[in-house]
Amino acid sequence: MMSDYNWFEGIPFPAISYQREILEDIRNRFVVKEEDLLILTYPKSGTNWLVEIVCLIQTKGDPKWIQTVPNWDRSPWIETDIGYPALINKEGPRLISSHLPIHLFSKSFFSSKAKAIYLIRNPRDILVSGYFFYGNTNIVKNPGSFGTYFEWFLKGNVIYGSWFEHVRGWLSMREWDNFLVLYYEDLKKDPKGTIKKICDFLGKNLGPDELDLVFKYSSFQAMKENNMSNFSLITEDRVTNGLKLMRKGTTGDWKNHFTVAQAEAFDKVFQEKMAGFPPGMFPWE
Ligand code: PPS
């Protein structure tokens, strides 16, 4: 059923761009440096939005970098066959993006002082985002229908495995000083406040005008128009039908796609799998 994936330690990875040797190397040999910044997410959580914000914070709002260098070169995806060698050869402080679950991530991180930001999004919106994004590509097995994808997602039979396990795993680090947990929903509700929070975590002191520039150039519309950020440079010979990253960029779109029965089934699984977290842990509840 799921034979179109690259399996590693019981987790399905996309059918293209992933190799077992690289995944093993990341976990056992890759050295995270103290000055690196990790951007950690389950897929479709708003990773590239966070990458954009962090890049703009680094340039104090100057858009030159984000408008001339593709996002995957600014913050390479460690687990891909392009990102891994790029990171190995990169000098100086690195931005590193990853969708890996905690148990597959580089062991060296857990004894380093490198900072990491873990971005969480309502898994219902992630499900919808992923369904439309991967839809008819050669990255995943085609589910054929929304209902089938819904079932796969709840069971964790999707790339990178279960959202519930991913979030539970990484949240175990939430009390660490070098680990910041953010929510897509907060970025939507209070972008400037959340950008400020990221600056504080990174020890970057930006003035009000610089913060305004970060906000302006990381907006949905600005990113949609920026070919270095919207994935339009990924050609259809590499990914069937191409990839449209900037779809809607909203919260609660799941309500337009879930049936009442699906919403109830999702709630039930969510409550079972995420039991034990303090009230208010997830802002969409
Ligand atoms: S990926 O492919 O896993 O790396 O995708 P990821 O970047 O994690 O998530 C893609 C979703 O994030 C939305 N997005 C944004 N929303 C609001 N504002 C900005 N600036 C922004 N940039 C990206 C993007 O639209 C995807 O969500 P959906 O719901 O599909 O629109």
Side-chain angles (χ1 to χ4, degrees):
M1 179 87 174
M2 302 274 294
S3 57
D4 295 357
Y5 291 107
N6 286 317
W7 288 84
F8 181 68
E9 303 272 329
I11 301 230
F13 284 89
I16 57 167
S17 301
Y18 292 77
Q19 291 166 22
R20 156 173 296 276
E21 299 72 35
I22 289 182
L23 293 169
E24 276 167 357
D25 257 24
I26 291 169
R27 189 162 56 159
N28 299 320
R29 282 176 282 280
F30 183 79
V31 179
V32 174
K33 295 187 234 161
E34 198 170 318
E35 63 273 23
D36 291 338
L37 173 63
L38 310 176
I39 293 177
L40 308 170
T41 58
Y42 186 85
K44 311 317 296 175
S45 301
T47 327
N48 292 281
W49 190 9
L50 182 56
V51 167
E52 206 79 337
I53 290 170
V54 166
C55 290
L56 284 162
I57 289 174
Q58 290 200 352
T59 62
K60 294 185 173 257
D62 182 342
K64 192 165 166 231
W65 192 28
I66 61 154
Q67 291 175 349
T68 51
V69 180
N71 45 9
W72 55 81
D73 284 341
R74 287 182 260 129
S75 183
W77 239 280
I78 190 171
E79 59 266 24
T80 64
D81 54 9
I82 295 175
Y84 188 66
L87 283 168
I88 297 277
N89 294 318
K90 208 164 188 155
E91 307 273 323
R94 298 169 295 186
L95 288 178
I96 302 176
S97 296
S98 180
H99 292 319
L100 287 172
I102 191 166
H103 66 286
L104 297 186
F105 199 71
S106 179
K107 287 178 187 162
S108 67
F109 167 56
F110 303 99
S111 55
S112 90
K113 292 195 179 116
K115 291 182 179 172
I117 305 179
Y118 186 57
L119 179 64
I120 302 178
R121 185 184 190 187
N122 187 334
R124 299 164 185 86
D125 286 329
I126 286 179
L127 191 162
V128 171
S129 179
Y131 175 72
F132 288 107
F133 182 75
Y134 301 120
N136 296 316
T137 68
N138 50 338
I139 297 179
V140 303
K141 192 171 158 56
N142 188 338
S145 72
F146 182 77
T148 303
Y149 189 77
F150 180 92
E151 295 299 328
W152 287 357
F153 188 93
L154 276 192
K155 292 193 183 109
N157 288 338
V158 284
I159 52 172
Y160 291 95
S162 158
W163 177 90
F164 305 98
E165 281 162 34
H166 201 282
V167 171
R168 190 170 267 290
W170 278 113
L171 275 182
S172 67
M173 290 197 66
R174 66 188 186 279
E175 304 295 341
W176 291 42
D177 289 342
N178 60 338
F179 196 82
L180 177 69
V181 176
L182 291 181
Y183 297 90
Y184 179 97
E185 289 71 21
D186 289 341
L187 264 174
K188 284 294 296 184
K189 204 164 58 183
D190 180 16
K192 287 190 184 172
T194 313
I195 290 169
K196 179 78 179 49
K197 198 170 173 182
I198 301 170
C199 289
D200 291 346
F201 176 68
L202 298 179
K204 302 274 183 195
N205 206 351
L206 269 61
D209 291 352
E210 292 166 339
L211 286 172
D212 279 349
L213 289 173
V214 174
F215 169 66
K216 174 180 163 188
Y217 288 113
S218 63
S219 73
F220 185 83
Q221 200 51 35
M223 283 181 64
K224 193 172 179 177
E225 287 163 14
N226 181 0
N227 288 342
M228 298 296 149
S229 310
N230 61 17
F231 281 15
S232 61
L233 297 180
I234 301 174
T235 49
E236 295 198 13
D237 55 332
R238 181 149 175 93
V239 177
T240 314
N241 297 319
L243 290 171
K244 283 164 203 67
L245 180 72
M246 308 303 293
R247 192 184 62 93
K248 270 194 172 176
T250 57
T251 54
D253 189 36
W254 65 272
K255 292 174 195 155
N256 299 317
H257 298 280
F258 282 26
T259 63
V260 172
Q262 284 170 337
E264 285 171 6
F266 201 105
D267 284 353
K268 191 162 175 282
V269 173
F270 188 94
Q271 269 148 30
E272 275 166 25
K273 301 261 188 194
M274 304 313 272
F277 282 109
M281 187 77 224
F282 303 106
W284 56 82
E285 279 177 322

